[in-house]
Amino acid sequence: MYAIVKIGGHQYKVAEDQTIFVNRLSSDDENITLDEVLLVKDEKGKVKIGKPTVKGAKVEAKIVEHLKADKVMVFKKKRRKGYRVKNGHRQPITQLQIEKIS
């Protein structure tokens, strides 16, 4: 069984007992419910597609921790001008454990 959910403007394919990393969620609760379920496929192979969301479907997840992603280097240069700038960026992310799809 899997579902496609919308979290923070991005779509993720999730299954039960799966760990995913999403953009930082501002929720202080340990458990969250994701209501924007776009597609659900059950064990029998039956697929329900939402218009735009599947009515009554929800995904329950647990916030494991808030952390930062790997560093991305940003390097800017203009040739023959002596201009070089090197910056780094670490995106804040949240680790989710998918517990139940219903």
Side-chain angles (χ1 to χ4, degrees), residues 3-58:
I4 296 180
V5 296
K6 187 174 180 183
I7 306 170
H10 298 280
Q11 296 177 7
Y12 298 94
K13 180 181 177 183
V14 297
E16 291 183 4
D17 300 325
Q18 180 184 8
T19 301
I20 61 170
F21 294 95
V22 299
N23 284 337
R24 177 71 54 98
L25 299 175
S26 61
S27 176
D28 293 334
D29 300 332
E30 185 174 308
N31 295 320
I32 60 170
T33 302
L34 307 171
D35 294 329
E36 289 191 80
V37 180
L38 306 175
L39 181 138
V40 174
K41 182 177 180 186
D42 58 6
E43 295 91 7
K44 300 171 188 165
K46 187 176 178 184
V47 177
K48 294 180 188 173
I49 300 174
K51 298 179 185 176
T53 59
V54 179
K55 293 199 183 343
K58 57 185 171 181

